[in-house]
Amino acid sequence: MKGDNIDFFATVASWTRKIPAGCVATYGQIAGLISTPRAARMVGYALRQMTDRVPWQRVINASGMISIENIDYPKDLQAKLLINEGVKVTKRNGNYWVNLKAYLWKPK
DNA sequence: CGAATGACCAAGC
DNA sequence: GGCTTGGCCATTC
């Protein structure tokens, strides 16, 4: 799309809202859906500003781990939200880990 | 416009 | 899985 960089956030929000409960997606995956597979960092950056309008907890890193630590939303909360949705989250060495093989969302 | 920043990613040890 | 290195890119200063 042409200079739709203004819709970058909107597009991220749009795809994020499509992630069904009980599933998870990776930052790189979302970035790929927007045609900018290398802008994974921006996805996280965008989500940070929309934690109240999208299921941000369903987006994790490519390793299946919750790397959040620098913001006001503790990874402990994200893990709790995911578990509450039916996603099995394992705590390992202080980090939360999700089995992508079983819970990764497959966009149509 | 240049430089720093960040909820990332892949590759190598 | 954990740590380090190099690279991406939009946003902010």
Side-chain angles (χ1 to χ4, degrees):
Chain A
M1 321 276 236
K2 351 177 190 151
D4 279 351
N5 49 346
I6 56 171
D7 287 328
F8 186 84
F9 284 26
T11 309
V12 171
S14 179
W15 279 109
T16 303
R17 274 194 284 264
K18 288 180 181 176
I19 303 173
C23 290
V24 298
T26 69
Y27 296 102
Q29 183 178 16
I30 299 295
L33 291 169
I34 308 174
S35 308
T36 49
R38 297 175 181 63
R41 306 185 72 155
M42 301 310 105
V43 176
Y45 197 88
L47 284 178
R48 182 180 178 177
Q49 305 179 45
M50 312 184 289
T51 52
D52 58 330
R53 342 177 195 174
V54 301
W56 58 276
Q57 72 271 22
R58 294 175 197 155
V59 185
I60 58 183
N61 65 22
S63 300
M65 288 192 296
I66 298 174
S67 54
I68 295 177
E69 222 174 314
N70 297 5
I71 62 175
D72 305 318
Y73 295 84
K75 50 190 177 182
D76 185 41
L77 171 61
Q78 182 167 10
K80 199 170 182 177
L81 289 171
L82 288 175
I83 293 173
N84 189 44
E85 293 183 343
V87 176
K88 189 176 157 194
V89 181
T90 305
K91 189 169 189 180
R92 180 174 225 154
N93 296 336
N95 287 316
Y96 291 95
W97 180 64
V98 176
N99 185 338
L100 290 179
K101 263 286 201 185
Y103 296 99
L104 184 63
W105 173 53
K106 287 151 193 168
K108 220 163 164 189

